[in-house]
Amino acid sequence: MKSSSKIPASDTAIRKQKRKSIACRRCHSHKIKCTGDQPCLKCRQAGCPAECHYVNRDRQIKVHESYLEELAAENQRLRAQLSQSPSFLTPREYQAHDESVPEQDADTHVRNPMLGERAWFLPHDPSLPPIHVCEAACTAFATRLRKVLTKSETTSHMPRTQYTPEDTLMKIRNPAMPWPNLAQARLLIQIVSNQVTRVYHLILRKSTIDQLEEAYREGNFDDPVLTCKFFALFALGEVYSARSSPSLECNVPGVAYYVNAMTTIPILPERPSLAHIESLLLLSLYSFFLNRRHSAFLLVGSAMRLGLTVGLNHNIPESKCPDPVRRQHRTRLWWAIYVFDRMYGSKVGWPIQISDADIYVDMPSNVPGDIHNDHTSDTEFLIASIELAKITGQVIDRVYSRKVFPESFLQREQKLLISLKEWSCALPPQLRLSRDGPVPMNVISLHLQFNQCIMLASRPVLLHALIQATSPEAITEDSSQANIRQTLKALSDACIHAARHTHLLIVEEWTNASVPIFGYFYAHYLFSSALIMVISSLVYPENSNDFALFEAAFEILRAMSSHGNLAATEFYDNLECVKQCLNEKRGSEGGHFQSDPSRAVESSTEPLAVIAPNQLGLFGNTSASGVPDPTVPTDPANDMAFLGESMEEFLAQPEADFDLLDPSLTDAVYLWPNLSLWTA
């Protein structure tokens, strides 16, 4: 009897699922049958088993449409849960669709809580790549603050649109642009010497004046590198004097010189000169007046790489460069590149471009017998600037990078603040702030950068304090103040005091008409401190007057913006959005805040009148009566003991003691797992 040939359906499915064998590359090329082994029989017989390789093929698998619909519904459900979650500090609305899945292995317990697992990208122009938002940027911090205030994932970052674009610059370009007359050129160079080269060593003063005189005497205006250098100097001279007539395309003075210098200088010189590197640094500095931060970053990066090609990061032997002034100029020019690299990174959040371990050149020093005083910057000032720039680079690396560190977040904070304290205590007397007489502009600039470094390092902790103060759990228990450990309070106080000090210094410069109306850095420092003032007034009831300082900064930025300052316009727009969020919050959930910031300005309709310098202590401390605190030290930036015993205890605390702090203080606020500022 013939057996049945019917095959079960399961066996049929198994046969269909059986992988179809393929030939290895060698058998396929020789068109012979392959056994499918590894190595196959034919390759073994031919004596070349190492050549037996198979092509990886991506098979297409059919799935039911209902399964795809279930996956889409599950994805939508997870997105809805994420949008309702309080974890609004991660920039998930700008990330790809698959990034909405939380990462289980993220080392968030040792990272700045402001950072997400992935980089933050903002889609803006469909024809261009998305904008990368650096977390250390103050505008990014402003967006984080607005997210905390609104508790909404839909709060979007404001893209930077207030800058001079390339098409506008090309309209201004004039290849036949003449040089100014000699008298005007001398004045512009003198302005740069007073405003720029006292802070950064970019040129040799006497040598530059000699080159200028020689160019006019001999009519030598055809050298492209020399023309670029002087046009960059003329551009800076005009923008600092702010006396030139703006063009129809751009309101920033000196832009015509800048455009022609940018199009004159060779981009890739095989044998760069020092004048070429000087020009790049001058042009990078002017780019900030146009709010072209990316251009400034690229220019200083080019200057650094050209400096590496000529060995500026090494000491040059005396036999190769006998002139001591020239040798010292090489040294100082390299350190100017170094300071620019760290300083630009602190403004926007870019990583440092060269490690300290790759620098072998000595620190700046005095040149005996320099009768012309060709070094326009004080040696001790330059050394202090370099040391501060080094700490600034460490802040960007240790607080705002996504590296995995062996220490906890607070341990890194402690080391950074110890470095800042040691730096401030080591300042020579002439670089300390004093009320005995006028303070030089370069000293003010140095302390503004010092305060900014403190704010960069500590403002994530202050933002954390705001999250605690506005969380429903903290409000219900009425313990938003009591639950903040003394360690966090000390770090928050450091941030607030630095912001007040920055505010006071800039307000005094503003009232003395010493602030460059088109300047970038004063506007940036003021914007950074204003954000801290908002948080301070919301978290701590005793700091309600800090909102008056925010209002004053808002008015100064508005005035600078109305005169055509592009950076101030960007920062003013961001502060305006912050004010709008505050008004909406007070209208809907105002009772959740610890103080009402509007009370700080009820007594005056003019915000600047509330914070006149003679009504503030050196750190901007205000009391209910407006009388400055007489206990404020004369120069608090020189010793961080002004923050009290809590800061001293924090700086002296052994690293092991951080593990004893209770991590549950933040676990109740941040709902994603394993997030603690303390544990390593």
Side-chain angles (χ1 to χ4, degrees):
M1 179 176 161
K2 188 177 181 180
S3 62
S4 174
S5 61
K6 186 176 180 181
I7 301 176
S10 59
D11 293 345
T12 304
I14 293 175
R15 290 184 180 181
K16 288 184 179 180
Q17 294 176 3
K18 184 177 181 180
R19 183 177 181 273
K20 183 179 179 180
S21 62
I22 59 175
C24 67
R25 293 179 183 269
R26 184 180 177 279
C27 293
H28 180 74
S29 62
H30 288 75
K31 296 183 179 179
I32 58 179
K33 187 174 181 180
C34 183
T35 60
D37 301 332
Q38 181 62 44
C40 69
L41 178 62
K42 299 296 183 181
C43 290
R44 292 198 303 269
Q45 291 176 350
C48 51
E51 298 179 9
C52 186
H53 300 290
Y54 292 86
V55 179
N56 292 327
R57 295 186 177 180
D58 187 13
R59 296 187 302 152
Q60 294 183 353
I61 302 175
K62 295 181 180 180
V63 297
H64 292 289
E65 184 179 359
S66 59
Y67 177 70
L68 295 178
E69 292 176 351
E70 291 177 2
L71 289 179
E74 179 70 10
N75 190 18
Q76 186 66 24
R77 185 181 64 82
L78 291 175
R79 287 180 179 276
Q81 290 180 355
L82 285 175
S83 63
Q84 298 173 2
S85 173
S87 58
F88 41 79
L89 288 182
T90 55
R92 300 186 183 276
E93 65 271 24
Y94 304 125
Q95 299 176 356
H97 294 299
D98 59 348
E99 294 176 2
S100 61
V101 181
E103 293 81 8
Q104 299 297 326
D105 298 329
D107 294 320
T108 52
H109 58 293
V110 295
R111 190 190 303 130
N112 178 346
M114 291 168 55
L115 300 183
E117 176 64 20
R118 296 179 176 90
W120 186 357
F121 289 95
L122 171 67
H124 178 59
D125 188 343
S127 63
L128 297 174
I131 300 173
H132 178 217
V133 183
C134 298
E135 294 288 355
C138 290
T139 51
F141 185 75
T143 302
R144 297 296 190 203
L145 173 58
R146 290 191 290 115
K147 285 178 178 291
V148 173
L149 296 176
T150 59
K151 295 187 177 181
S152 172
E153 277 289 335
T154 60
T155 301
S156 60
H157 180 75
M158 296 181 60
R160 178 175 57 97
T161 59
Q162 304 85 351
Y163 65 93
T164 307
E166 287 78 11
D167 54 352
T168 300
L169 295 178
M170 289 301 101
K171 293 178 182 178
I172 301 173
R173 180 175 179 263
N174 177 19
M177 182 177 183
W179 288 46
N181 61 66
L182 180 57
Q184 183 182 1
R186 288 169 177 164
L187 289 175
L188 292 175
I189 299 298
Q190 184 63 36
I191 291 171
V192 176
S193 297
N194 292 335
Q195 297 289 335
V196 178
T197 57
R198 293 184 184 275
V199 183
Y200 316 108
H201 179 90
L202 304 179
I203 59 173
L204 288 174
R205 182 176 59 184
K206 185 179 184 303
S207 300
T208 301
I209 294 297
D210 291 343
Q211 288 178 335
L212 182 71
E213 300 284 349
E214 182 181 0
Y216 278 90
R217 183 172 58 253
E218 299 181 0
N220 181 20
F221 303 125
D222 299 328
D223 185 348
V225 175
L226 193 66
T227 300
C228 177
K229 174 180 176 179
F230 280 107
F231 273 28
L233 289 169
F234 297 157
L236 287 171
E238 284 201 351
V239 78
Y240 273 103
S241 60
R243 299 187 185 96
S244 63
S245 299
S247 65
L248 296 177
E249 291 80 9
C250 181
N251 292 327
V252 182
V255 65
Y257 287 120
Y258 169 81
V259 173
N260 283 277
M262 288 286 291
T263 54
T264 300
I265 191 170
I267 299 177
L268 298 173
E270 187 62 25
R271 298 287 185 184
S273 63
L274 293 186
H276 190 111
I277 298 175
E278 294 169 357
S279 301
L280 291 174
L281 294 178
L282 292 168
L283 291 171
S284 74
L285 190 60
Y286 184 89
S287 296
F288 276 100
F289 289 92
L290 302 177
N291 206 21
R292 294 177 60 87
R293 301 196 285 263
H294 294 170
S295 297
F297 180 64
L298 293 174
L299 287 168
V300 76
S302 298
M304 174 173 290
R305 278 148 184 79
L306 292 178
L308 292 174
T309 62
V310 297
L312 292 185
N313 59 323
H314 295 269
N315 293 316
I316 189 169
E318 184 177 352
S319 59
K320 304 297 182 183
C321 184
D323 187 352
V325 174
R326 295 290 178 182
R327 289 201 308 273
Q328 186 61 210
H329 178 51
R330 287 173 54 94
T331 299
R332 296 187 176 211
L333 194 61
W334 169 260
W335 286 117
I337 297 173
Y338 179 90
V339 170
F340 275 21
D341 176 47
R342 268 61 174 176
M343 181 179 67
Y344 291 1
S346 70
K347 303 297 182 291
V348 184
W350 293 307
I352 59 178
Q353 301 183 71
I354 188 170
S355 171
D356 292 335
D358 296 322
I359 301 174
Y360 308 98
V361 67
D362 293 336
M363 283 289 189
S365 60
N366 294 320
V367 177
D370 184 13
I371 59 176
H372 299 293
N373 191 23
D374 215 352
H375 301 150
T376 56
S377 298
D378 177 69
T379 300
E380 292 182 324
F381 171 82
L382 286 181
I383 294 176
S385 299
I386 295 166
E387 295 294 343
L388 183 59
K390 185 180 299 184
I391 302 174
T392 303
Q394 294 171 358
V395 171
I396 299 299
D397 180 67
R398 299 178 186 178
V399 177
Y400 294 95
S401 71
R402 290 177 170 81
K403 298 178 182 178
V404 178
F405 294 92
E407 311 98 343
S408 68
F409 182 73
L410 277 189
Q411 288 170 347
R412 301 198 302 275
E413 289 277 305
Q414 182 194 46
K415 291 180 179 179
L416 290 171
L417 291 177
I418 288 175
S419 298
L420 288 169
K421 178 182 178 181
E422 292 174 349
W423 178 90
S424 63
C425 293
L427 280 178
Q430 69 271 21
L431 298 183
R432 299 173 183 266
L433 295 174
S434 174
R435 294 295 183 183
D436 297 336
V439 181
M441 178 266 297
N442 61 330
V443 175
I444 293 177
S445 175
L446 185 68
H447 285 272
L448 287 174
Q449 180 62 27
F450 170 73
N451 292 336
Q452 180 66 15
C453 200
I454 295 178
M455 287 187 282
L456 275 175
S458 56
R459 69 187 182 188
V461 176
L462 183 62
L463 185 65
H464 162 74
L466 176 63
I467 295 172
Q468 282 193 323
T470 58
S471 64
E473 293 84 356
I475 294 168
T476 302
E477 298 173 3
D478 194 21
S479 58
S480 61
Q481 285 289 110
N483 282 348
I484 297 178
R485 288 280 187 177
Q486 195 65 22
T487 297
L488 294 184
K489 184 65 167 59
L491 290 172
S492 299
D493 286 344
C495 188
I496 294 170
H497 280 277
R500 289 173 179 170
H501 193 203
T502 290
H503 179 90
L504 175 62
L505 290 175
I506 295 179
V507 167
E508 287 194 342
E509 291 293 288
W510 175 262
T511 55
N512 293 332
S514 300
V515 174
I517 198 64
F518 294 96
Y520 174 89
F521 299 108
Y522 276 92
H524 176 267
Y525 292 136
L526 192 62
F527 172 64
S528 178
S529 65
L531 296 174
I532 303 303
M533 294 298 96
V534 171
I535 303 177
S536 173
S537 64
L538 296 177
V539 174
Y540 303 111
E542 64 272 19
N543 295 346
S544 60
N545 283 336
D546 283 342
F547 194 79
L549 308 185
F550 166 79
E551 291 280 359
F554 186 82
E555 288 299 314
I556 293 177
L557 289 175
R558 182 193 60 78
M560 297 177 74
S561 174
S562 65
H563 282 83
N565 188 312
L566 297 174
T569 302
E570 177 191 2
F571 300 144
Y572 173 77
D573 291 345
N574 274 268
L575 289 187
E576 201 166 32
C577 287
V578 171
K579 286 191 68 175
Q580 183 179 357
C581 292
L582 287 171
N583 293 333
E584 293 175 357
K585 190 65 178 176
R586 286 201 297 266
S588 60
E589 302 177 13
H592 285 190
F593 284 146
Q594 299 302 313
S595 61
D596 185 2
S598 61
R599 297 178 183 176
V601 292
E602 287 179 354
S603 59
S604 175
T605 59
E606 184 181 359
L608 286 177
V610 181
I611 47 80
N614 58 357
Q615 295 178 341
L616 294 175
L618 187 57
F619 252 104
N621 294 323
T622 55
S623 60
S625 61
V627 178
D629 184 359
T631 62
V632 176
T634 304
D635 186 8
N638 294 324
D639 191 353
M640 296 178 70
F642 65 88
L643 294 174
E645 296 180 359
S646 59
M647 174 56 69
E648 292 299 320
E649 292 175 358
F650 171 69
L651 297 181
Q653 190 170 4
E655 294 183 3
D657 290 351
F658 285 115
D659 293 333
L660 301 178
L661 295 175
D662 184 7
S664 63
L665 293 180
T666 53
D667 292 340
V669 178
Y670 298 102
L671 298 185
W672 52 81
N674 299 326
L675 177 60
S676 171
L677 291 174
W678 297 273
T679 58

